[in-house]
Amino acid sequence: MNINQNYKNLTESYLFSTIAKKVNEFTSLNSGVKVIKLGIGDVTLPLCKSVIDAMHNAVDEMSKVETFKGYGPEQGYDFLKNSIQNYYSKRNVVIEPDEIFISDGAKSDLGNILDIFDRANTVLIPDPVYPVYVDTNIMDGRKIIFIDANEENDFLPMPDFSLECDIIYICSPNNPTGAVYNRTQLSKWVEYAIKNEALILFDSAYESFVSETDLPRSIYEIENAKKCALEFCSFSKMAGFTGTRCGYTVIPKDLNFGGLNLNKMWLRRQTTKFNGVSYIVQSGANAVFSEIGQQQIKENLNYYKRNARIISDTLDTLNIKYTGGKNSPYIWLKCPNNLNSWEFFDLLLNKIGVVGTPGEGFGKNGKNYFRLTSFNTLENTKEAMERFYDLFVLK
Ligand code: PLP
């Protein structure tokens, strides 16, 4: 019996446990201080009314023999795939329903998709990064090339045409940096992928935070992207489904590599290893695309966007450099006074009782950066940033 030895190459992440430990120590010594957490990477507002109503309805349908549902299609119900197709068409992107695969969230699909790729492929991953891309490839033993996302390239690395790779990860709007690629930049990546006969895995989990209308929310807004890219999307941040679980992956039908069709391979993979997302959850997800559903999720998104603005306005006033905030729930700031990200973490916690996430936890280029998020309440975000302002202005 041999095990997958690649698991030995995974590094343990102590990021969130170290944060929790430091916060616990601080609160035990300073019980009178209200700690405000701006490190939260999870949504906090409840599901909107249309989603709840649709799910209640679906539960009732499950209670009657005439409307009861057993196993559904592994790749998702047509009603939801049609709504997603329609959602794309509003941005002039043509996606067929059978190019859409409903999942229980982007994280599972981002990991599972590697089933259909050779382990000898070389993977290009930006640093800093959402750690799932790195760990899932380490588990398979793939060679990873890291490309620097840093101050020089505004945290938006561009392709080096002399570099060869097979799989490219792009996350835009980015976690953790909040940076968003524009059309010209994404076109270059598409050009590079086609030239290299490589495949882009585009993670658009945060697309609904894009406020500037000229920025792409889908890779398929870029010409020729259907020839070289898959897209992973999620209801998690768009509609608060982090605990409800629903997402979707787009695999264009004419993507062929090594004589095999990726769409057919993924269908085969899913029908073999996955039994679909529950009817109740898919009914809730579908309600997001109704007119009223769109309005209601927009209210929640605007709430988070307002928090992001409060954070970025404070940083602007203090002349602290950052990316993100405008088209993303994340604000990635350069730690003032040359502090490294853990020193800055300690400073904020000990002086003002505010918690964020040290950039180092996302890769070496995060060493002097810090991630704040807009997922706390308006009141707490205001209070945290007032404390933050006082700390730096009074210094
Ligand atoms: N992709 C990125 C960049 C994320 O930050 C996250 C979650 O934080 C995910 C994907 C996972 O999303 P889901 O909840 O759909 O699994």
Side-chain angles (χ1 to χ4, degrees):
M1 185 358 229
N2 294 314
I3 53 121
N4 182 347
Q5 296 283 339
N6 296 317
Y7 276 64
K8 286 187 180 161
N9 300 327
L10 292 166
T11 48
E12 212 51 66
S13 170
Y14 297 107
L15 179 68
F16 289 102
S17 57
T18 310
I19 293 175
K21 193 165 155 257
K22 282 175 180 270
V23 173
N24 283 342
E25 274 166 18
F26 176 82
T27 38
S28 64
L29 295 171
N30 303 274
S31 55
V33 179
K34 174 181 159 193
V35 171
I36 303 179
K37 294 183 177 164
L38 294 191
I40 311 170
D42 194 358
V43 292
T44 47
L45 293 173
L47 295 170
C48 68
K49 185 168 183 311
S50 351
V51 168
I52 293 294
D53 288 347
M55 289 205 288
H56 279 161
N57 252 336
V59 170
D60 287 341
E61 285 179 75
M62 289 301 221
S63 73
K64 296 181 204 103
V65 74
E66 309 81 55
T67 47
F68 168 77
K69 301 269 188 300
Y71 289 124
E74 291 89 342
Q75 62 276 41
Y77 283 102
D78 282 343
F79 63 79
L80 182 53
K81 295 198 290 177
N82 292 339
S83 296
I84 294 169
Q85 176 190 34
N86 187 39
Y87 181 63
Y88 274 106
S89 72
K90 289 188 178 140
R91 277 174 280 136
N92 298 320
V93 173
V94 179
I95 303 285
E96 302 298 329
D98 54 3
E99 295 179 312
I100 299 166
F101 295 83
I102 309 300
S103 71
D104 63 349
K107 188 177 184 174
S108 332
D109 274 10
L110 281 161
N112 292 334
I113 195 73
L114 298 178
D115 266 15
I116 67 169
F117 305 137
D118 196 302
R119 293 184 175 203
N121 283 321
T122 299
V123 181
L124 203 63
I125 302 182
D127 172 321
V129 73
Y130 175 52
V132 169
Y133 313 153
V134 179
D135 287 350
T136 50
N137 279 291
I138 290 178
M139 287 171 180
D140 278 359
R142 273 187 206 86
K143 181 181 166 207
I144 299 174
I145 302 174
F146 286 101
I147 46 168
D148 290 331
N150 53 28
E151 201 174 337
E152 282 79 66
N153 55 32
D154 293 323
F155 291 94
L156 294 168
M158 294 302 295
D160 167 357
F161 278 73
S162 66
L163 199 64
E164 285 186 12
C165 74
D166 306 299
I167 296 169
I168 303 153
Y169 283 85
I170 300 179
C171 176
S172 178
N174 190 273
N175 178 14
T177 71
V180 188
Y181 281 106
N182 66 28
R183 274 168 217 285
T184 317
Q185 291 167 324
L186 274 190
S187 302
K188 271 272 168 243
W189 276 111
V190 167
E191 187 190 328
Y192 168 76
I194 291 174
K195 187 168 166 276
N196 253 282
E197 293 177 28
L199 183 71
I200 295 174
L201 304 186
F202 190 78
D203 184 343
S204 62
Y206 296 94
E207 60 86 16
S208 49
F209 282 85
V210 173
S211 303
E212 287 170 276
T213 48
D214 52 339
L215 288 173
R217 294 167 66 148
S218 159
I219 185 97
Y220 303 120
E221 291 178 47
I222 308 302
E223 201 182 347
N224 290 328
K226 277 187 105 176
K227 295 181 185 155
C228 65
L230 312 188
E231 182 156 292
F232 299 83
C233 203
S234 170
F235 292 90
S236 282
K237 308 297 157 84
M238 176 212 255
F241 272 60
T242 50
T244 307
R245 311 303 306 146
C246 198
Y248 54 92
T249 295
V250 179
I251 308 199
K253 272 189 293 196
D254 39 343
L255 265 180
N256 298 300
F257 284 86
L260 286 175
N261 181 274
L262 293 194
N263 182 289
K264 286 199 178 126
M265 284 176 80
W266 185 242
L267 180 64
R268 187 72 173 86
R269 191 267 173 210
Q270 289 298 77
T271 48
T272 305
K273 292 197 184 180
F274 184 57
N275 252 339
V277 176
S278 92
Y279 173 70
I280 298 163
V281 169
Q282 290 192 61
S283 302
N286 193 42
V288 165
F289 298 109
S290 67
E291 205 174 310
I292 178 85
Q294 285 288 296
Q295 272 170 29
Q296 289 171 352
I297 63 158
K298 211 169 164 191
E299 278 168 33
N300 287 1
L301 290 166
N302 284 342
Y303 184 90
Y304 298 133
K305 285 181 187 180
R306 186 170 169 196
N307 288 344
R309 215 161 38 242
I310 291 166
I311 299 172
S312 40
D313 284 351
T314 311
L315 298 178
D316 282 335
T317 318
L318 293 167
N319 254 326
I320 294 175
K321 282 192 185 164
Y322 65 94
T323 49
K326 204 168 189 181
N327 301 291
S328 155
Y330 299 124
I331 293 97
W332 180 250
L333 64 99
K334 187 169 186 182
C335 303
N337 311 325
N338 271 328
L339 293 179
N340 74 40
S341 64
W342 277 110
E343 289 166 344
F344 190 66
F345 176 91
D346 290 336
L347 176 80
L348 288 194
L349 176 63
N350 294 319
K351 295 269 185 199
I352 59 171
V354 169
V355 180
T357 313
E360 202 179 308
F362 301 98
K364 73 171 172 51
N365 287 314
K367 198 168 164 283
N368 293 97
Y369 285 82
F370 202 72
R371 193 190 75 173
L372 295 176
T373 82
S374 62
F375 291 125
N376 210 317
T377 62
L378 174 65
E379 297 69 29
N380 281 344
T381 308
K382 274 186 181 160
E383 189 179 336
M385 294 322 286
E386 276 160 16
R387 295 185 199 172
F388 191 101
Y389 178 82
D390 289 346
L391 176 69
F392 289 100
V393 153
L394 300 177
K395 250 186 123 205

